[in-house]
């Protein structure tokens, strides 16, 4: 009776199950692994009875969440199922990289190469003295490994964990090779004149490979065990770990994307309160234990199978190497009539490989017409629109142009007005952070040698905010200030009778919470005071220095004049003390109200009154003041891209879902935070997002700036799912798959729930779009595509010839392909 290889059987079953979980996770769960459950009533079994109670996160296992939820409300079972792919990929790559290093070096060492043998001994000795776990913990805690997107993080972890663990595997392969080299048949091979290379391929490798396959699976199991150990020490792969404010509940760092290791990061504290949150640690541990045991059993089962006396695996491997021999192929070609079949098979296989590598496999259903989008950029940047400043005549006319274009495409167009005045149109009633334009301005600095350096508005500096009290008092007159620009270190040197203008690398603020934008209505409280209590001075105007910042901006009403200097002026102010004169013209107040433009296209069997689930595509269309009719090209790219996408979508057959294009006004500047911002007004004041939720819900795509120059990486900013149990994770992964198939390099950032404007340096504004921050609260899925800010906006670099046309085309194509080729977004069965 044939003896059953139970380790191979059980290990094979577990591996097959892991593979099925890896490639078909949606078959095992319909829940989204990144959706956060709100507090709600749950039903669960207690003492044999089904009970109902109000629960907050983490929720115990219940009828909906079969394994419960974590602290952030994410379904543990869904995260384990979807995390299988990332975890198995990490374990596989670690084992693969170790084998790629250990196999050749182990064979060389086993065949007598002393140098290689000494290298293996050195690494083995080093990592015997320094534990692999501790060394890996130290290295992987470097800042370099933080904020990596999942794919790069897995690769980086794999490389580090390969370096610390390959030598042990190499030693085992070395021992196997030595045993083979001691066999009698090796002496016979040498005697007949075989070279060492021939012996390696024809004799050593066929005998090493079976042992290597077994060791590979055992190494993969050991790698997974090491990953679990590192996770307990708070080291795991993932996009980001800075999630201290996630959903306003979790007060520690956690992984965002599903992966088993990140689910063990709280095990030390969860074990201490095991009776209360036993599910949070138990199920991830069980998944890890099952995978490690199963892969180990598979490796052991393969070893047992390969060592059977009747095993033909070695002879099959030798035949395989012989079939791949170039020399044999050459001889077969010479005798083509006799061996035409194997020759054709080999050339056919090579041809298929070349086709797979070089022939594009991806083709968009609807190609994005980049040239049309460029024409829209040119049109929106025309002199008649005067930069499209919100509230100006040019901004209003630009809105009319967009409305007329959308109507010509067949969209139902409506508008939402944003009021910049409380009542009458005068400076007393102008709302905080309302947009204005300052036409002329000049700054003069007296140097130590008595010479005067002059700097001009829109060339050397920009005025970001204007002092409300000063504007009311000026009564329409121009402004002139004379005094000392000083930083905190030189404040005491400023004479008491001289006016001081603070110079700082942050906003001078008396009342400013850590999560608030400095330029907001909330921060109008308090006086304008600079310095410590003993030497504090009041001020009316301040200089704010931002690293490598050159973007021009409009002026906004606030409690102080704030000037952002560029280049040479910034260098002068960095000295900390300068005699200075500042003059600028009285601003032009908003002539029109702001205006949000909505364009609706119903999906198949839907109407405006009953839109169903809607895909919302947002883009800003306002711009910045254009002196000498030199309008910013960059500020027009979101609206231009969105218009071209809208045109192409209108020519398609009705989509499965309704589509809404929203063009934001008063949205271009992301350093401010005001209720009158387009997306904020849309969400908080008009509560349009609530209407969309009651009508069926929505998915939000934000089209951002294409950028200047030739930067190839496309930026994606994704947000955790908030608005329901839709497959937002699958929508996101499918979008990334589209980018990979398009061969578009990209970087994905995962945003969190904290207000990103809290950074004193404002440096994070490059990655986060405020409109997406507002609309993601109730959305099924939210993503921003492109750059949310460009440092050279409004400068001489901001010209059509410097526009990143490639990125602009990729942004439009990604949006179009998601609308036409993403089955999870369109509610189709993939």
């Amino acid at each position: 009776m044939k003896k059953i290889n139970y380790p191979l059987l059980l290990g094979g079953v577990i591996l097959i199950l892991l593979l099925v979980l890896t490639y078909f996770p949606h078959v095992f769960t319909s829940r989204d692994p990144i959706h956060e459950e709100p507090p709600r009533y749950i039903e669960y079994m207690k003492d044999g009875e089904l009970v109902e109670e109000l629960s907050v996160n983490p929720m115990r296992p219940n009828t909906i969440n079969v394994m419960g939820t974590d602290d952030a409300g994410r379904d543990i079972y869904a995260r384990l199922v979807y995390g299988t792919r990332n975890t198995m990929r990490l374990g596989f790559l670690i084992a693969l990289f170790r084998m790629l290093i250990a196999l050749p070096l182990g064979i060389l060492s086993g065949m007598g190469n002393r140098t290689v043998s000494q290298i293996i001994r050195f690494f083995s000795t080093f990592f015997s003295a320094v534990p692999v776990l501790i060394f890996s913990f130290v290295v992987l805690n470097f800042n370099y490994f933080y904020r990596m997107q999942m794919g790069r993080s897995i690769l980086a972890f794999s490389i580090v964990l390969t370096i610390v663990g390959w030598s042990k595997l190499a030693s085992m392969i070395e021992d196997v090779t030595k045993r083979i080299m001691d066999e009698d048949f090796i002496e016979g091979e040498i005697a007949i004149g075989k070279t060492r290379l021939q012996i390696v391929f024809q004799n050593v490798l066929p005998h090493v490979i079976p042992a290597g396959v077994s060791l590979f699976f055992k190494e993969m199991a050991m790698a997974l065990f090491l990953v679990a150990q590192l996770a307990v020490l708070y080291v795991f792969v993932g996009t980001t770990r800075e999630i201290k404010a996630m959903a306003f509940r979790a007060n520690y760092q956690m992984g965002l994307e599903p992966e088993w290791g990140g689910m063990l990061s709280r095990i030390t504290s969860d074990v201490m309160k095991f009776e209360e949150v036993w599910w949070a640690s138990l199920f991830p541990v069980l998944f890890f234990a099952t995978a490690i045991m199963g892969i180990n059993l598979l490796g052991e089962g393969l070893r047992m199978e390969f060592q059977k006396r009747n095993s033909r695996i070695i002879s099959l491997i030798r035949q395989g190497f012989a079939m791949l021999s170039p020399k044999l192929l050459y001889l077969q070609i010479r005798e083509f009539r006799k061996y035409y079949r194997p020759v054709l098979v080999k050339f056919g296989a090579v041809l298929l490989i070349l086709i797979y590598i070089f022939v594009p496999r991806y083709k968009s259903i609807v190609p994005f017409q980049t040239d049309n989008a460029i024409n829209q950029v040119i049109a929106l940047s025309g002199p008649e629109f005067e930069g499209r400043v919100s509230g100006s005549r040019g901004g209003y006319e630009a809105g009319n142009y967009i409305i007329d274009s959308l109507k010509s495409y067949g969209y139902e167009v409506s508008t939402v007005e944003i009021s910049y005045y409380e009542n009458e149109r005068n400076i007393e009633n102008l709302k905080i952070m309302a947009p204005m334009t300052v036409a002329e301005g000049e700054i003069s600095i007296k140097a130590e040698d008595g010479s005067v350096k002059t700097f001009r508005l829109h060339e050397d500096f920009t005025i970001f905010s204007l002092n409300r009290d000063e504007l009311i008092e000026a009564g329409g007159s121009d402004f002139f200030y004379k005094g000392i620009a000083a930083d905190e270190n030189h404040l005491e040197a400023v004479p008491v009778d001289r006016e001081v203008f603070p110079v700082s690398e942050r906003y001078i603020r008396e009342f400013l919470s850590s999560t608030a934008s400095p330029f907001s209505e909330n921060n109008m409280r308090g006086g304008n005071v600079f310095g410590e209590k003993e030497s504090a001075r009041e001020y009316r105007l301040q200089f704010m220095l931002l690293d490598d910042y050159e973007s021009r901006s409009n002026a906004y009403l606030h409690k102080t004049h704030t000037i952002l200097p560029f280049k040479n002026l910034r260098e002068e102010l960095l000295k900390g003390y300068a005699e200075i004169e500042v003059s600028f013209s009285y601003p032009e107040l908003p002539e029109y109200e702001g205006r949000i433009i909505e364009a609706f296209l119903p999906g198949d069997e839907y109407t405006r009154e009953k839109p169903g689930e809607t895909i919302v595509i947002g883009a800003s269309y306002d711009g910045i003041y254009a002196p000498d009719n030199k309008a910013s090209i960059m500020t027009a790219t979101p609206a231009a891209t969105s218009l071209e996408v809208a045109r192409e979508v209108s020519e398609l057959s009705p989509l499965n879902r309704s589509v809404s294009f929203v063009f934001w006004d008063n949205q271009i500047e992301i350093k401010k935070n005001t209720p009158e911002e387009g997306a904020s007004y849309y969400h908080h004041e008009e509560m349009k997002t609530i209407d969309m939720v009651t009508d069926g819900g929505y998915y939000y795509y934000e089209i951002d700036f294409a950028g200047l120059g030739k930067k190839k990486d496309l930026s994606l900013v994704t947000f955790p799912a908030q608005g329901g149990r839709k497959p937002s994770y699958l929508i996101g992964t499918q979008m990334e798959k589209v980018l990979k198939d398009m061969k578009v390099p990209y970087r994905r950032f995962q945003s969190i729930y904290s207000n990103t404007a809290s950074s004193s340096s404002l440096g994070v504004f490059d990655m986060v779009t405020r409109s997406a921050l507002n609309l993601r609260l109730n959305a099924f899925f939210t993503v921003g595509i492109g750059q949310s800010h460009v440092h050279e906006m409004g400068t001489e670099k901001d010209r059509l010839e410097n526009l990143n046309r490639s990125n602009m085309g990729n942004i439009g194509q990604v949006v179009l392909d998601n609308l036409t080729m993403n089955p999870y977004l369109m509610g189709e069965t993939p």
Side-chain angles (χ1 to χ4, degrees):
M1 182 176 178
K2 188 176 181 181
K3 188 176 181 181
I4 299 175
N5 189 334
Y6 286 105
L8 181 62
L9 179 63
L10 182 58
V13 170
I14 293 176
L15 181 64
I16 290 172
L17 178 60
L18 291 172
L19 290 174
V20 174
L21 286 171
T22 295
Y23 291 102
F24 307 102
H26 55 279
V27 173
F28 293 87
T29 178
S30 60
R31 304 194 63 78
D32 193 288
I34 60 175
H35 170 67
E36 298 179 2
E37 293 280 0
R40 59 173 172 81
Y41 281 95
I42 63 172
E43 293 181 342
Y44 65 96
M45 298 298 297
K46 183 178 182 180
D47 298 329
E49 295 183 0
L50 189 66
V51 298
E52 183 181 53
E53 68 175 30
L54 179 64
S55 179
V56 296
N57 293 306
M59 297 179 189
R60 66 172 55 250
N62 55 77
T63 53
I64 295 177
N65 312 105
V66 293
M67 292 185 180
T69 68
D70 62 13
D71 285 345
R74 301 170 301 182
D75 189 274
I76 289 177
Y77 174 65
R79 292 186 66 79
L80 287 170
V81 170
Y82 280 97
T84 304
R85 183 183 186 90
N86 290 326
T87 308
M88 291 301 106
R89 182 184 174 195
L90 176 61
F92 175 80
L93 287 179
I94 294 170
L96 178 64
F97 291 168
R98 286 181 179 181
M99 183 60 72
L100 290 176
I101 296 174
L103 184 64
L105 295 185
I107 290 174
L108 285 174
S109 178
M111 294 183 70
N113 191 308
R114 293 185 179 180
T115 302
V116 175
S117 181
Q118 289 176 354
I119 293 172
I120 295 173
R121 297 293 173 272
F122 171 78
F123 275 88
S124 297
T125 304
F126 180 83
F127 287 112
S128 296
V130 181
V132 168
L133 179 63
I134 302 302
F135 187 87
S136 303
F137 171 77
V138 172
V139 173
L140 293 173
N141 263 303
F142 290 166
N143 288 334
Y144 175 78
F145 296 100
Y146 282 71
R147 295 196 177 195
M148 278 187 173
Q149 60 194 56
M150 181 61 77
R152 296 185 181 184
S153 182
I154 288 176
L155 182 60
F157 269 62
S158 300
I159 292 172
V160 171
L161 298 183
T162 294
I163 293 172
V164 301
W166 69 268
S167 57
K168 184 177 180 181
L169 179 60
S171 297
M172 290 187 284
I173 293 175
E174 178 185 2
D175 293 338
V176 173
T177 305
K178 284 181 177 179
R179 287 198 298 270
I180 296 170
M181 293 300 293
D182 289 338
E183 295 287 342
D184 294 337
F185 69 86
I186 295 295
E187 294 183 8
E189 299 292 336
I190 296 173
I192 64 175
K194 281 190 177 181
T195 65
R196 290 177 67 86
L197 188 62
Q198 288 176 322
I199 291 174
V200 167
F201 282 101
Q202 295 178 17
N203 302 104
V204 176
L205 267 178
H207 286 81
V208 169
I209 284 178
V213 171
S214 172
L215 290 173
F216 174 84
F217 285 104
K218 292 181 179 180
E219 200 68 23
M220 184 175 173
M222 292 176 62
L224 290 176
F225 186 56
L226 179 58
V227 168
Q229 291 175 298
L230 287 170
V232 174
L233 297 176
Y234 232 56
V235 177
F236 47 86
V237 294
T239 319
T240 177
R241 300 178 180 84
E242 297 183 0
I243 320 300
K244 295 182 179 179
M246 183 179 227
F248 315 108
R249 295 187 293 274
N251 58 355
Y252 62 91
Q253 297 177 339
M254 62 171 67
L256 279 170
E257 293 185 85
E259 185 269 332
W260 295 357
M263 301 177 71
L264 290 179
S265 61
R266 289 279 289 175
I267 191 171
T268 52
S269 60
D270 287 343
V271 167
M272 297 177 66
K273 47 182 181 179
F274 188 75
E275 292 183 0
E276 299 175 13
V277 290
W278 54 270
W279 60 90
S281 300
L282 176 63
F283 294 117
V285 167
L286 287 177
F287 267 64
F288 258 118
T290 303
I292 292 169
M293 179 187 68
I295 296 172
N296 250 326
L297 285 173
L298 180 64
E300 181 62 20
L302 288 172
R303 184 192 66 79
M304 294 167 58
E305 195 68 26
F306 292 155
Q307 287 184 350
K308 289 181 178 179
R309 298 181 64 87
N310 59 349
S311 174
R312 298 182 63 248
I313 189 68
I314 294 176
S315 60
L316 290 174
I317 294 173
R318 294 185 67 176
Q319 290 176 18
F321 275 112
M323 289 290 294
L324 295 176
S325 169
K327 184 177 180 180
L328 176 62
L329 177 61
Y330 171 74
L331 294 174
Q332 289 174 335
I333 292 173
R334 292 188 62 179
E335 299 288 337
F336 182 75
R337 290 186 178 181
K338 184 177 181 180
Y339 300 104
Y340 70 93
R341 288 183 178 178
V343 171
L344 291 177
V345 169
K346 291 177 182 179
F347 275 102
V350 172
L351 182 61
L352 289 175
I353 293 172
L354 292 175
I355 291 174
Y356 179 83
I357 295 174
F358 295 107
V359 176
R361 302 183 302 280
Y362 181 83
K363 186 176 181 180
S364 300
I365 295 176
V366 184
F368 180 74
Q369 302 299 324
T370 307
D371 289 341
N372 290 347
I374 296 295
N375 291 334
Q376 293 285 12
V377 170
I378 296 171
L380 288 169
S381 304
E384 67 272 22
F385 298 139
E386 301 172 345
R388 303 180 316 285
V389 178
S390 182
S392 69
R393 180 179 296 277
Y396 186 81
E397 293 300 329
N400 287 340
Y401 171 83
I402 292 172
I403 291 172
D404 292 341
S405 298
L406 293 168
K407 286 182 177 178
S408 70
Y409 302 154
Y411 286 84
E412 301 176 39
V413 181
S414 59
T415 61
V416 177
E417 287 197 346
I418 306 171
S419 176
Y420 292 137
Y421 296 91
E422 295 291 351
N423 292 300
E424 297 180 10
R425 292 174 179 268
N426 54 47
I427 185 61
E428 288 83 1
N429 292 319
L430 190 63
K431 292 183 179 180
I432 301 305
M433 296 311 296
M436 297 171 285
T437 57
V438 180
E440 297 178 349
E442 188 175 277
I443 293 177
S444 299
I445 292 182
K446 187 176 181 180
E448 295 179 357
D449 59 2
S451 62
V452 176
K453 296 182 179 180
T454 302
F455 304 91
R456 301 191 181 283
L457 178 64
H458 307 305
E459 295 179 11
D460 304 300
F461 65 95
T462 191
I463 299 175
F464 187 79
S465 69
L466 292 173
N467 190 314
R468 183 176 185 273
D469 294 337
E470 291 287 300
L471 259 66
I472 294 174
E473 185 178 335
S477 302
D478 292 345
F479 297 91
F480 178 80
Y481 300 91
K482 184 176 182 180
I484 305 296
D487 60 19
E488 287 183 320
N489 296 329
H490 295 84
L491 181 59
E492 294 183 357
V494 180
V496 178
D497 60 342
R498 301 294 301 276
E499 184 170 7
V500 64
F501 308 130
V503 176
S504 177
E505 295 185 13
R506 59 181 175 83
Y507 186 85
I508 308 301
R509 46 201 171 173
E510 184 177 356
F511 298 96
L512 181 59
S513 67
S514 61
T515 59
S517 168
F519 300 104
S520 66
E521 186 174 349
N522 292 335
N523 290 300
M524 285 294 291
R525 297 175 296 164
N528 298 334
V529 179
F530 179 53
E532 300 297 330
K533 293 183 179 180
E534 297 78 11
S535 59
R537 301 282 295 272
E538 292 188 355
Y539 66 93
R540 298 180 291 173
L541 181 151
Q542 67 169 333
F543 292 94
M544 188 172 171
L545 312 184
L546 301 179
D547 292 336
D548 299 323
Y549 187 87
E550 289 187 41
S551 281
R552 277 59 175 167
S553 70
N554 304 315
Y556 299 90
L557 188 69
H558 207 239
K559 67 178 182 179
T560 181
H561 299 312
T562 302
I563 294 176
L564 306 180
F566 309 144
K567 290 186 178 179
N568 295 335
L569 177 57
R570 186 177 186 278
E571 294 299 320
E572 291 290 333
L573 293 172
L574 277 173
K575 296 176 182 178
Y577 190 95
E579 291 192 31
I580 196 166
E581 293 182 1
V582 180
S583 62
F584 53 90
S585 59
Y586 193 85
E588 182 179 340
L589 304 184
E591 183 179 353
Y592 294 85
E593 305 291 4
R595 187 168 49 166
I596 301 169
I597 301 170
E598 295 178 283
F600 179 79
L601 190 68
D604 192 19
E605 299 182 359
Y606 292 104
T607 64
R608 186 70 184 91
E609 292 71 29
K610 295 183 178 181
E613 293 180 8
T614 303
I615 301 168
V616 181
I617 299 171
S620 61
Y621 76 91
D622 60 314
I624 54 180
Y625 176 70
D628 303 323
N629 290 325
K630 295 181 179 179
S632 166
I633 292 294
M634 189 49 50
T635 58
T637 57
T641 304
S642 190
L643 278 173
E644 178 55 22
V645 172
R647 184 192 68 79
E648 298 196 44
V649 169
S650 69
E651 296 177 354
L652 301 173
S653 300
L655 300 177
N656 288 357
R657 302 203 189 283
S658 299
V659 180
S660 177
F661 289 85
V662 184
F663 294 81
W664 307 116
D665 199 2
N666 195 27
Q667 192 70 46
I668 196 75
E669 183 52 68
I670 55 178
K671 290 188 293 299
K672 62 181 175 64
N673 185 6
T674 168
E676 281 68 46
E677 277 183 338
S680 179
Y681 193 85
Y682 191 82
H683 172 65
H684 294 288
E685 303 297 325
E686 294 292 318
M687 303 188 77
K688 290 282 190 176
T689 55
I690 303 300
D691 293 340
M692 288 191 288
V693 170
T694 57
D695 287 337
Y698 67 95
Y699 307 81
Y700 184 63
Y701 285 78
E702 174 74 15
I703 293 179
D704 293 314
F705 304 115
L708 299 170
K710 297 181 179 180
K711 180 183 177 182
K712 294 183 178 180
D713 285 358
L714 189 64
S715 296
L716 301 179
V717 182
T718 57
F719 297 80
Q722 280 286 93
R725 303 180 185 94
K726 296 296 177 180
S728 59
Y729 180 73
L730 292 175
I731 293 171
T733 52
Q734 181 68 19
M735 185 171 67
E736 290 193 62
K737 181 179 183 300
V738 167
L739 286 166
K740 292 174 182 176
D741 290 340
M742 290 170 59
K743 301 190 184 303
V744 174
Y746 69 96
R747 295 190 65 194
R748 183 166 65 83
F749 305 93
Q750 191 88 37
S751 184
I752 57 177
Y753 289 91
S754 60
N755 188 335
T756 56
S758 62
S759 170
S760 59
S761 67
L762 305 175
V764 294
F765 283 114
D766 288 339
M767 291 192 296
V768 180
T769 59
R770 194 177 298 281
S771 54
L773 283 171
N774 280 290
L775 269 76
R776 52 87 184 164
L777 288 170
N778 297 304
F780 296 140
F781 173 79
T782 304
V783 63
I785 309 172
Q787 293 179 249
S788 65
H789 190 64
V790 180
H791 283 303
E792 297 87 3
M793 198 176 292
T795 67
E796 288 299 321
K797 295 179 182 178
D798 191 356
R799 298 292 177 260
L800 187 62
E801 58 270 20
N802 295 325
L803 174 63
N804 193 327
R805 298 177 183 232
S806 175
N807 260 7
M808 188 175 184
N810 289 334
I811 292 170
Q813 193 64 68
V814 168
V815 175
L816 272 176
D817 287 357
N818 271 268
L819 293 175
T820 56
M821 302 173 66
N822 192 328
Y824 302 107
L825 176 64
M826 303 311 294
E828 302 169 354
T829 302

